[in-house]
Amino acid sequence: MPIPSHQGDPLDVGLPWVNRFATLGDDFYTALSPTPLPAPYWVGRSAGAAQAWGLDPQWLQSDDALQAFTGNRTLAGGLSLASVYSGHQFGQWAGQLGDGRAILLGETPGWEVQLKGAGLTPFSRMGDGRAVLRSSIREFLGSEAMHGLGIPTSRALCVTGSDVPVRREEIETAAVVTRLAPSFIRFGHFEHFCHHGHHDQLKVLVDFVIDHHYPACRTDARWGGNPYVSLLAAVTERTAQMVAQWQAVGFCHGVMNTDNMSILGLTIDYGPFQFMDAYDPGHICNHSDHQGRYAFYKQPNVAYWNLFCLGQALIPLIAEQEQAIAALETFKAIYPLAFARRMAAKLGFADLQEAHRPLTEDILKLLAADKVVFTIFWRRLSHWARAQRADDDSVRDLFLDRAGFDAWLLSYSELLAQTEQGLAADLMLKTNPRYVLRNHLGEEAIQAAKRKDFTVVANLLQVLERPFDEHPEHAAWADFPPDWASHIAISCSS
């Protein structure tokens, strides 16, 4: 199948372009264009992401949009490039990395626009620069699902496909995801310049991030007026808050390398991620993670370790190592408190009290012991809190250890009685989603898409955009996973 070249005049999306990252210079990126794909077709489109970006949703339906977001047409005003960074992967220094299959099309006010799977770049190493349909659908739905849950994330505007073959463990077909984020700068960008001793470039990058994304760091007096320490503290706080939200919904990222950590505290790079079915603190969602480095319960500690790597990269600018350590140590207070508050809200308590902490610890132990489906438990508990009928065993039936759960429920009921019942239940129903993107749901969408049936992608997207609503027409998607779901293997080979 011949690969087309870029044809026609650049397309106008009706948005102004600012392209701030491109002003940093050649040390930070290589300018290049995406590699076109033949005969593209739509796989999925997010009207919500288009609205957030400010893109006319009608234009997103056009063939011009299809060609542009496959990499076949250029966008007027954009400056396409691939950035260089380095990083630690699975705890080991990996050296120079970079955008190996992601190409930044440019930046409009508030949003960078990036194609993932758009072809070879100077940083592709041994890769082919392509993404496959399977992983692209997962990233598209995963990004929008996280946004629906209120968790900081990159957005996914659309997925396009092409029947060009791509080899992974087997022959698959190509796809391109259009991603949006205020910035795609990662911890690894800073590590890159520090590691190579390019401290002038490091300062340029850090000043750029502060000026455009953390301006309050210039006037923050808490860290002796040092804006670089203030930046490290601000990133630490955002990262801690984000990971607390992950843990509260049972989200496993799967590959928390430093090059996959956003400087803005966003969830990015959806690879072998998973929303847990049965609650298992030791769950490893990435089949490439043979040592379990990124197991679910380890995610907070890994986030702290990654922040420590970022702190090391900033030391040439911070100068005082003790200040950097002090900024990083705030994680140890911010994360536990953020997680405790999230869990208290899941239990219906708007204000965290010390009595809520052991209640959370005990129910998580019970959930783990009986491998209870995490999302189903919390949603059923939310409905139980509203009704509190003596004959309602819907939550109790999830447990083998009935006596243990009954004892917990009694303690919980006593605390819940001190709150206004309706308000508690309302908080729970707004905090505990009915729907998350569990693996088998993504797999159903992928298998249908391979048959050129994209209705499952579209319908699943609509549900995941409003995960706290009941959606009775799709109630089966909130039910127990089928037996085959436990055999789905997700790895880094996307």
Side-chain angles (χ1 to χ4, degrees), residues 146 150-153 187 235-253 256 260-262 264-268 295-307 331 334-340 342-343:
M146 290 291 268
I151 298 174
T153 180
F187 292 9
V235 176
T236 296
E237 178 169 5
R238 287 196 188 186
T239 303
Q241 294 283 355
M242 175 190 70
V243 175
Q245 290 180 269
W246 289 2
Q247 301 302 108
V249 296
F251 175 79
C252 311
H253 185 277
M256 290 176 66
N260 294 333
M261 297 294 292
S262 161
L264 300 185
L266 305 174
T267 312
I268 59 172
F296 176 70
Y297 81 97
K298 294 182 179 179
Q299 291 186 142
N301 285 338
V302 171
Y304 176 75
W305 191 90
N306 289 341
L307 286 162
F331 185 93
I334 294 170
Y335 170 76
L337 181 59
F339 179 68
R342 295 280 171 187
M343 297 307 293

Side-chain angles (χ1 to χ4, degrees), residues 1-2 4 37-41 66-67 70 72 161-163:
M1 188 180 296
L37 281 169
Y41 50 82
L66 174 64
Q67 299 300 327
T70 307
N72 296 351
S162 170
D163 289 336

